[in-house]
Amino acid sequence: MNDHNLERPRLPEPISGLWEIAMNLSWRWNPRARYLFRRLDRPLWHRTRHNPVAILQRVDPGRLARLAEDADFRRLHDEVLATCRREESREGTWMAAEHPEFGDRPVAYFCAEFGLHNSVPIYSGGLGVLAGDHCKAASDLGVPLVGVGLLYVKGYFDQTIRLDGWQEDMEAAFDPASTPLVPVPGPDGGRVVARLEVNGHDLAIGAWKLRVGRVPIYLLDTELEENRPEDRQLASRLYPGGRLERLQQEWILGAGGVRVLRAVGVDPAAWHANEGHAAFMLLERVRERMERGSTWEEAVERVRATSVFTTHTPVPAGHDIFPLEQVEACATRLLDTPGMSPARLAELGRGLEGPGGFHMTALAIRLSGGLNGVSETHGRVTRRMWHPLWPGRSVEDVPVGHITNGVHLSTWMSHSLMEFLDGHLGAGWVHRLADPALWDAVRGLDDEGLWRVHKRRKETLLAFVREQARHRWAEHWGDSGHLVGAGTLLSPDALTIGFARRFAEYKRADLLFRDADRLRRLVTDPRRPVQVVFAGKAHPADDQGKRILQRVYEAARDPGFEGRIAFLEDYELHMAHRLVQGVDLWLNLPRPPLEACGTSGMKAALNAVPQLGTCDGWWAEGYEGSNGWQIPLAPDEEDVDAWDARHLYELLEERVVPLYYEGEHHAAPRGWVAVMKEALRVGGSRFTARRMVREYVSDYYIPARRGTPDGLPVEAG
Ligand SMILES: *Cc1c(COP(=O)(O)O)cnc(C)c1O
């Protein structure tokens, strides 16, 4: 703890609030706060990748002294500080106005990943970014929410690509001292906040607190002196090597997370397990009740009544199944609780395959009264998938609902577009997101103005691409093929397609290459060229994903594509912002029905960037005909990949390219801009995290707080 305080810089009194502002991630979505830190030191703002804590630790004291004398800067500082403090209370928020009866007891939101800012890299992809956006929207709405996760000091890996296109995974540790993380003191003032039995011995658990506007997130940490050396790293790797390590992490997150909340005096009214990784949270609460004298049945019933579980994937590999003996060995002390038994534990974790494995999703389903998938399609797929757990019911009556994911508008929409909308929709429109008339008004936006805003974002993206290519070239390669492959030859005038996400096989980054000659003709058309920017990481253990990445990378270096295909290394939040704001078209090609939802296309839509995608995840419900393009579902007898590739080429050749290049040189292409406006209208009215969190409150949190989620019977088999 003292170490951390040493990192706290000395600031001149008139601007000493800078530290307070930097220590709450709400600066991230407050444009005035971003401006404040940019003004503080522009080169450092860029060099630290927008990390205010690191800027304050490194900025020249002389500069601070001068700024403390600058009346303009002081006014800006005071204004931002006042906003920051106003947001300490929930007064005047949507929750306070609409649901005052909910009170202050929070919803505990457990998730194995949180993607909040690139300076805190404790996420690997969509699930984490979604959890981050959930917390931000809960803060905006005044929903009392407390996050619980793990502090992976060795978080996200750095990706570099070898000359032959193979991904190298470099484990990268980050330093909590250069982030807004604050260590939580334990009951005796030390670092130990709670204790948990893991595989028969005691583990000490520490915690860090991260403030995200009004929402605190507790991140658990086992790197404590008193832990055995082999246990210290248990919670510290985002990609643990083995299954046992992963099981122990989930045990720490779920069971340890409940104990940490108890230790710091948080008393949740409702509990949300976001994905099966967090399901031990439910089991620990059953144990607590039995320890206090409840019967097994009572304990299970009470936990169910106050719990919500969200499942995020229909892909089998996305569901954790552990060997039953491993779970029993990990939870020996749990099994000592009177009334608990190996048979009961086995029954709770029994999957569809029968006994033997311990299925985390099945555990979560049995212990949660509120259950949902994350898009309309995914809700349906999930009901079908888990139907055997409700043998007496028809598939339609399986009590799994859906809430379609959404993204945090002020995080993802570019500042220039927000300013442009201020001019047309009136300042304060961000507080009227739920008003449909607001989004209808988008249709009346000035074409030329919107096009200019977009072109600027595109130039910013290309400048970012060149800068990144320059660094990589100098640092690692000096190889011209890489320089081209990294996007240095991209042109601001060509139709630019973005494809960025994890390189999982079902996402099909290589679908575009199925007919390489046809792609080549599109890309090298002298009058109407197309360029494609790829980014994304393969999971370190996913060789199939790495082979797809290699294929894309080879194309990026292939002179036959004339430098119009680029692969950007090291995809993360910072780059994701640049991409969704700066490309012309977002491409999303999951093989239906494997994409539960997908959120990057929503981020693009909020920047008036339309999507071309398969009929899956959010696009199955988000495509309205006017806001982008959709590949129709393949009939049963067709080869899905062949069908989808053919439609992809046809849509690009016959619809997308002609529309983009229609009209006078330099003037806004009217038909294209009309699609952009529709993308923005649909994205803004239907796919924000604000809409999503409001639905969680009314459909799940309020019933869970009452202890009767949705009136669902307690009978899952
Ligand atoms: C939004 C986001 C994702 C998830 O994108 P999908 O479309 O759901 O695949 C992954 N990584 C980063 C960095 C993101 O910002």
Side-chain angles (χ1 to χ4, degrees):
M1 190 158 183
N2 291 333
D3 287 358
H4 195 265
N5 283 343
L6 281 181
E7 304 291 338
R8 181 175 179 152
R10 285 179 177 282
L11 298 172
E13 211 289 313
I15 54 171
S16 62
L18 286 169
W19 186 251
E20 185 179 331
I21 300 166
M23 291 300 280
N24 187 328
L25 274 181
S26 61
W27 67 262
R28 173 64 193 80
W29 65 94
N30 175 353
R32 297 290 287 168
R34 292 170 65 82
Y35 176 56
L36 175 73
F37 289 114
R38 207 163 50 230
R39 266 200 64 183
L40 184 62
D41 192 322
R42 187 180 275 270
L44 269 181
W45 170 254
H46 291 301
R47 215 165 332 127
T48 62
R49 291 198 154 197
H50 308 181
N51 180 347
V53 174
I55 295 173
L56 290 173
Q57 287 165 340
R58 291 190 222 169
V59 65
D60 168 41
R63 181 163 175 80
L64 281 174
R66 278 195 304 282
L67 286 169
E69 301 294 314
D70 177 334
D72 265 357
F73 189 83
R74 283 215 312 254
R75 250 195 311 279
L76 179 62
H77 161 273
D78 295 349
E79 173 205 321
V80 174
L81 186 62
T83 315
C84 193
R85 289 193 174 153
R86 225 178 3 258
E87 288 182 352
E88 308 259 294
S89 110
R90 297 196 288 115
E91 213 173 291
T93 61
W94 171 82
M95 194 69 179
E98 297 292 320
H99 298 290
E101 78 289 354
F102 198 93
D104 293 329
R105 284 179 66 203
V107 177
Y109 181 82
F110 280 60
C111 190
E113 301 183 14
F114 287 90
L116 293 150
H117 186 254
N118 44 282
S119 63
V120 189
I122 53 170
Y123 69 96
S124 67
L127 178 71
V129 180
L130 177 86
D133 280 10
H134 191 104
C135 293
K136 292 173 183 178
S139 168
D140 292 345
L141 290 164
V143 179
L145 192 93
V146 174
V148 179
L150 294 175
L151 182 78
Y152 309 102
V153 187
K154 303 192 183 83
Y156 219 37
F157 64 90
D158 283 341
Q159 176 193 50
T160 53
I161 309 292
R162 290 195 320 223
L163 278 167
D164 64 358
W166 195 252
Q167 166 181 300
E168 300 268 4
D169 323 316
M170 320 263 281
E171 199 169 72
F174 80 100
D175 180 9
S178 301
T179 71
L181 286 162
V182 178
V184 175
D188 61 3
R191 285 282 283 120
V192 181
V193 177
R195 288 174 197 280
L196 178 72
E197 310 78 41
V198 180
N199 284 75
H201 65 275
D202 272 331
L203 184 73
I205 299 179
W208 300 73
K209 188 170 173 178
L210 180 60
R211 293 175 63 209
V212 182
R214 299 178 175 94
V215 170
I217 300 180
Y218 290 94
L219 297 170
L220 279 49
D221 174 13
T222 55
E223 285 269 346
L224 300 179
E225 289 269 304
E226 72 170 76
N227 282 332
R228 308 188 309 186
E230 64 270 35
D231 287 346
R232 276 185 211 151
Q233 302 216 352
L234 270 183
S236 69
R237 291 174 64 209
L238 178 53
Y239 299 97
R243 298 300 296 159
L244 177 60
E245 213 181 328
R246 183 70 189 159
L247 166 65
Q248 290 174 331
Q249 281 193 342
E250 293 185 13
W251 181 246
I252 294 166
L253 168 66
V258 174
R259 295 193 188 184
V260 164
L261 288 185
R262 303 298 187 206
V264 298
V266 172
D267 179 25
W271 303 72
H272 187 170
N274 196 41
E275 192 53 307
H277 317 126
F280 287 131
M281 169 265 278
L282 304 155
L283 192 58
E284 167 67 6
R285 287 165 49 229
V286 171
R287 185 201 63 81
E288 283 183 333
R289 290 190 168 270
M290 292 176 72
E291 191 108 333
R292 291 201 303 264
S294 294
T295 64
W296 169 255
E297 290 76 14
E298 285 163 2
V300 168
E301 167 128 16
R302 284 305 302 155
V303 168
R304 279 180 50 85
T306 48
S307 300
V308 179
F309 168 58
T310 304
T311 172
H312 284 268
T313 177
V315 181
H319 297 261
D320 282 319
I321 305 175
F322 299 111
L324 182 57
E325 316 79 65
Q326 262 187 15
V327 178
E328 283 175 0
C330 181
T332 36
R333 300 260 179 92
L334 169 87
L335 290 169
D336 293 341
T337 313
M340 278 280 185
S341 70
R344 281 183 164 153
L345 184 69
E347 206 39 52
L348 280 178
R350 184 185 170 112
L352 302 174
E353 315 69 23
F358 191 89
H359 203 303
M360 294 298 282
T361 304
L363 173 70
I365 288 177
R366 291 198 178 90
L367 291 179
S368 306
L371 302 170
N372 74 292
V374 290
S375 70
E376 210 174 295
T377 306
H378 181 235
R380 203 162 46 238
V381 170
T382 305
R383 283 190 288 280
R384 206 179 320 129
M385 189 166 163
W386 292 99
H387 181 215
L389 291 192
W390 287 270
R393 294 190 176 206
S394 66
V395 177
E396 297 71 42
D397 287 338
V398 168
V400 175
H402 80 270
I403 290 182
T404 304
N405 287 340
V407 295
H408 187 242
L409 183 136
S410 337
T411 294
W412 292 104
M413 186 184 278
S414 76
H415 183 48
S416 20
L417 182 56
M418 290 182 91
E419 280 190 327
F420 177 70
L421 294 182
D422 282 346
H424 288 261
L425 306 175
W429 62 271
V430 270
H431 303 296
R432 294 186 283 122
L433 295 185
D435 174 6
L438 173 79
W439 295 106
D440 287 342
V442 162
R443 289 188 166 131
L445 292 176
D446 172 50
D447 286 5
E448 294 295 337
L450 181 60
W451 186 244
R452 263 199 309 278
V453 168
H454 174 65
K455 293 285 272 191
R456 263 208 311 278
R457 298 317 302 167
K458 190 170 174 182
E459 273 152 25
T460 304
L461 166 66
L462 296 187
F464 169 80
V465 166
R466 278 192 300 276
E467 216 34 49
Q468 165 137 333
R470 191 192 318 280
H471 285 301
R472 291 282 174 177
W473 182 66
E475 274 170 26
H476 301 295
W477 321 322
D479 171 275
S480 61
H482 274 82
L483 201 54
V484 170
T488 42
L489 295 184
L490 296 175
S491 145
D493 296 319
L495 165 61
T496 303
I497 299 176
F499 184 105
R501 51 181 49 86
R502 294 188 63 78
F503 272 66
E505 194 276 334
Y506 79 89
K507 297 202 184 224
R508 296 190 297 185
D510 52 349
L511 193 68
L512 203 49
F513 296 94
R514 208 178 150 92
D515 184 342
D517 288 331
R518 201 161 170 184
L519 174 63
R520 200 184 313 275
R521 283 196 295 278
L522 266 167
V523 160
T524 59
D525 185 309
R527 280 190 312 115
R528 305 188 305 185
V530 173
Q531 51 196 17
V532 194
V533 183
F534 288 92
K537 295 172 175 174
H539 186 285
D542 179 9
D543 279 353
Q544 195 182 22
K546 288 184 184 178
R547 276 193 294 276
I548 295 174
L549 194 155
Q550 188 170 32
R551 175 143 188 229
V552 170
Y553 200 75
E554 277 163 6
R557 298 189 61 195
D558 178 351
F561 289 112
E562 300 182 358
R564 294 203 188 272
I565 292 184
F567 181 87
L568 311 188
E569 282 179 51
D570 221 12
Y571 182 48
E572 40 73 73
L573 284 168
H574 190 69
M575 184 187 291
H577 281 102
R578 297 268 182 261
L579 279 169
V580 298
Q581 296 172 2
V583 298
D584 296 308
L585 178 72
W586 198 252
L587 192 60
N588 187 19
L589 302 168
R591 188 181 296 117
L594 295 181
E595 184 77 293
C597 182
T599 52
S600 55
M602 302 175 185
K603 301 168 191 168
L606 287 184
N607 287 287
V609 171
Q611 170 165 283
L612 191 172
T614 41
C615 183
D616 197 18
W618 83 281
W619 201 229
E621 65 198 86
Y623 173 64
E624 292 188 1
S626 55
N627 58 333
W629 295 269
Q630 191 181 70
I631 296 171
L633 278 178
D636 281 344
E637 66 281 5
E638 290 281 338
D639 171 337
V640 178
D641 290 353
W643 169 277
D644 288 351
R646 183 157 54 80
H647 282 85
L648 170 61
Y649 293 124
E650 283 173 9
L651 282 171
L652 289 174
E653 291 161 352
E654 292 163 22
R655 308 274 298 280
V656 174
V657 173
L659 194 66
Y660 185 84
Y661 284 105
E662 181 181 78
E664 299 298 317
H665 194 48
H666 287 313
R670 304 270 157 198
W672 185 269
V673 174
V675 180
M676 289 174 65
K677 288 184 194 172
E678 286 298 289
L680 177 58
R681 183 184 64 77
V682 174
S685 59
R686 298 175 52 198
F687 296 103
T688 61
R690 193 181 175 91
R691 186 270 309 146
M692 167 180 78
V693 172
R694 284 170 55 147
E695 288 180 4
Y696 273 105
V697 169
S698 54
D699 298 357
Y700 290 94
Y701 294 165
I702 289 177
R705 181 184 162 281
R706 268 195 242 112
T708 52
D710 213 18
L712 297 176
V714 188
E715 96 234 22

